Amino acid sequence: MQVTTYSKFRARLKSYMDDCVSRNEPIIINRNEDDSVVLVPLKKFNGMDETEFLKLNSDYAVHVLKIFKRMKLKSQKILDPASFKKLK
């Protein structure tokens, strides 16, 4: 994870933004001791946002996991020759 100062970030804004996106990594920008910020790629932010939503909505998370399990079971289903003929 990159760490930079506000002055360096401001001088090379486009470069830092490009690095952040291409590496899919946050960049910490130090302004003062307690006033630091983090530049995060949108894809990573959306993933963090979705994870937070699932943590706060456990019923929905359980529902999603059940769907994934059903999808996995269906994709692993092996057809015998008789069943395969019925699909045609």
Side-chain angles (χ1 to χ4, degrees), residues 78-88:
I78 299 172
L79 296 176
D80 62 313
S83 299
F84 185 74
K85 287 179 184 177
K86 290 179 187 176
L87 292 175
K88 289 184 180 182

Side-chain angles (χ1 to χ4, degrees), residues 1-43:
M1 182 178 317
Q2 281 184 288
V3 179
T4 189
T5 64
Y6 172 75
S7 298
K8 288 179 185 176
F9 178 76
R10 191 178 66 194
R12 296 182 43 224
L13 177 65
K14 182 179 181 333
S15 175
Y16 278 110
M17 291 175 75
D18 290 343
D19 283 352
C20 181
V21 172
S22 66
R23 295 178 184 183
N24 196 32
E25 255 184 28
I27 297 175
I28 297 172
I29 305 157
N30 291 324
R31 298 188 316 170
N32 295 323
E33 285 184 29
D34 296 329
D35 287 335
S36 297
V37 296
V38 179
L39 178 68
V40 180
L42 182 59
K43 287 181 183 179

Side-chain angles (χ1 to χ4, degrees), residues 42-53:
L42 182 59
K43 287 181 183 179
K44 187 171 284 280
F45 176 80
N46 287 339
M48 293 172 2
D49 199 35
E50 183 177 342
T51 300
E52 186 66 22
F53 173 81

Side-chain angles (χ1 to χ4, degrees), residues 64-76:
V64 169
L65 288 174
K66 285 179 183 178
I67 290 171
F68 283 146
K69 285 180 184 178
R70 274 190 256 145
M71 289 171 56
K72 186 176 180 182
L73 288 174
K74 285 181 181 179
S75 69
Q76 291 177 351

